[in-house]
Amino acid sequence: MKNYLERVGNTPVINLTDKLFYDLNVFIKLEFFNPTGSVKDRAANYILNKILSNGEINKDTIIIESSSGNFGIALASYCKLLGLKFYCVIDPNITYTNELLIRKLSTETYMVREPDKNGGYLLERIKKVKQLLKENKNSYWVNQYGNPYNAEAYYMTLSKELCNEVKPIDYIFIGVSSCGTITGVSRRVKKVYPNAKIIAVDIIGSVIFGGESRKRYIPGIGSSMQPDNLKSAQIDEVIQVSEEETIRACNYLLKEHQIFVGGSSGSVVAAIHNYFIGKETRNLNVAAIFADRGDRYSTTIYNEEWCMKIFPNMYKGETV
């Protein structure tokens, strides 16, 4: 092994005991132990090596993607490792740390500043991607929302590890955005444990499952479009949580367990707690994925001034 980026995968699992989880056996896959700090390392590494090996790209191909953070950082890093040029399209909602890393690691970075019809920026970012593809003939759009290799990456890696580490899996809770993770993981988990319940965790304001669109502030969970990847997912139920619940859960994890994680992880914790209220929980094995670490959210989720500005009522005696 010549580079630490090659140490992607085989992340640790912890059995997290907390009053929020009732009598459940909750097993958390800590994906922030991947080299660049998120579950997205798996897809970036897998997709780039796949398209290089099968001849879809060559060493002169420009890799292009739209990203709010983790996937952009992962792609930029693995493109550097492989000697590929990388163009990343971002928007004003990106956190300071994510923007800093993407700009430092990418060949070119493009900021889209006009919101789309849903009040977000995703559709405008994709429009910019398509423009760049036209302008650069030898280019490849990774397209995390529609590329089947995205789901394949998680089917071949993350889900295989989970099925070997948690026996059996009765439930698994997965935050959704591009839906590559839940698609790949759900297909293998259902194959190994047919009775397992796959629970998609979404954020209020996301339109992935047909909800009403509204402005969202936390990247990495939810979407203003329905990803094509979702068509192949095997999902049993969907549970939505609010961004306020997400923030409280993240801060709770840091205070009570010294686990410093990003927004989708807090959403998953809130979803597990909400889902099992009033249900029998004894002897159930619940798996969950903590997708990234919290340092990239230090100016938002973990910044009380920011939280109070966006959600002025969230600290008024409420619990997770």
Side-chain angles (χ1 to χ4, degrees):
M1 188 174 295
K2 297 179 180 179
N3 191 292
Y4 90 104
L5 290 175
E6 297 173 39
R7 296 188 66 88
V8 63
N10 295 309
T11 53
V13 172
I14 60 170
N15 186 347
L16 189 61
T17 302
D18 190 276
K19 61 185 179 181
L20 294 177
F21 300 143
Y22 314 103
D23 293 324
L24 296 164
N25 299 314
V26 177
F27 298 91
I28 308 291
K29 187 75 163 162
L30 302 178
E31 285 297 287
F32 52 79
F33 276 91
N34 281 305
T36 76
S38 85
V39 69
K40 298 292 187 178
D41 282 33
R42 294 180 184 268
N45 178 62
Y46 184 90
I47 292 170
L48 291 173
N49 280 288
K50 176 119 184 177
I51 59 180
L52 268 172
S53 64
N54 67 16
E56 289 186 61
I57 66 168
N58 57 44
K59 286 290 186 179
D60 297 319
T61 303
I62 298 170
I63 305 300
I64 302 174
E65 183 59 306
S66 154
S67 173
S68 61
N70 287 327
F71 197 43
I73 293 167
L75 279 172
S77 299
Y78 286 95
C79 280
K80 282 272 191 185
L81 178 67
L82 296 167
L84 297 167
K85 293 179 180 178
F86 177 59
Y87 291 2
C88 193
V89 181
I90 61 176
D91 66 59
N93 281 343
I94 193 169
T95 65
Y96 171 82
T97 305
N98 285 351
E99 182 176 358
L100 174 69
L101 289 170
I102 287 174
R103 288 191 182 276
K104 290 282 188 182
L105 292 166
S106 301
T107 309
E108 299 286 347
T109 307
Y110 301 86
M111 174 74 79
V112 170
R113 298 189 181 277
E114 292 297 320
D116 56 38
K117 63 182 181 181
N118 294 322
Y121 295 93
L122 178 59
L123 302 183
E124 289 300 313
R125 291 200 328 247
I126 291 173
K127 189 184 296 184
K128 181 64 177 179
V129 166
K130 291 179 178 178
Q131 177 190 331
L132 291 171
L133 290 170
K134 288 182 181 179
E135 293 173 356
N136 299 276
K137 299 220 179 278
N138 186 8
S139 57
Y140 181 94
W141 178 21
V142 177
N143 188 12
Q144 62 176 315
Y145 289 86
N147 191 332
Y149 297 153
N150 187 10
E152 187 177 303
Y154 297 108
Y155 181 89
M156 297 298 293
T157 64
L158 176 57
S159 59
K160 186 176 181 180
E161 293 170 27
L162 274 167
C163 289
N164 288 331
E165 293 161 337
V166 183
K167 299 180 180 182
I169 296 175
D170 297 309
Y171 289 83
I172 183 165
F173 286 70
I174 304 173
V176 293
S177 182
S178 68
C179 293
T181 306
I182 198 166
T183 298
V185 171
S186 66
R187 286 164 55 193
R188 184 182 287 270
V189 168
K190 283 289 193 180
K191 185 176 180 180
V192 177
Y193 300 114
N195 295 323
K197 299 293 184 184
I198 313 295
I199 312 297
V201 180
D202 200 7
I203 204 83
I204 294 171
S206 167
V207 303
I208 293 175
F209 298 100
E212 183 179 345
S213 176
R214 80 177 195 192
K215 185 173 178 59
R216 292 172 288 112
Y217 297 90
I218 299 173
I221 186 164
S223 176
S224 54
M225 62 177 280
Q226 187 175 82
D228 288 339
N229 286 327
L230 191 62
K231 297 173 185 175
S232 302
Q234 298 183 34
I235 296 170
D236 293 288
E237 295 182 62
V238 177
I239 183 166
Q240 283 194 318
V241 299
S242 69
E243 290 188 304
E244 293 94 325
E245 288 176 298
T246 293
I247 292 167
R248 287 197 296 271
C250 285
N251 281 278
Y252 179 86
L253 285 168
L254 180 58
K255 181 179 178 181
E256 298 298 327
H257 297 282
Q258 301 76 56
I259 300 176
F260 191 35
V261 288
S264 65
S265 304
S267 299
V268 164
V269 167
I272 294 171
H273 173 73
N274 294 348
Y275 182 86
F276 286 102
I277 291 175
K279 294 187 173 88
E280 175 59 45
T281 58
R282 192 168 300 168
N283 298 324
L284 288 178
N285 285 348
V286 176
I289 296 166
F290 280 7
D292 64 352
R293 60 190 181 215
D295 52 352
R296 295 167 191 168
Y297 304 81
S298 58
T299 59
T300 54
I301 289 173
Y302 296 97
N303 183 326
E304 189 168 325
E305 184 178 343
W306 180 88
C307 292
M308 289 297 292
K309 180 179 177 181
I310 304 298
F311 308 107
N313 296 318
M314 69 168 296
Y315 289 114
K316 293 186 176 178
E318 298 177 358
T319 61
V320 176

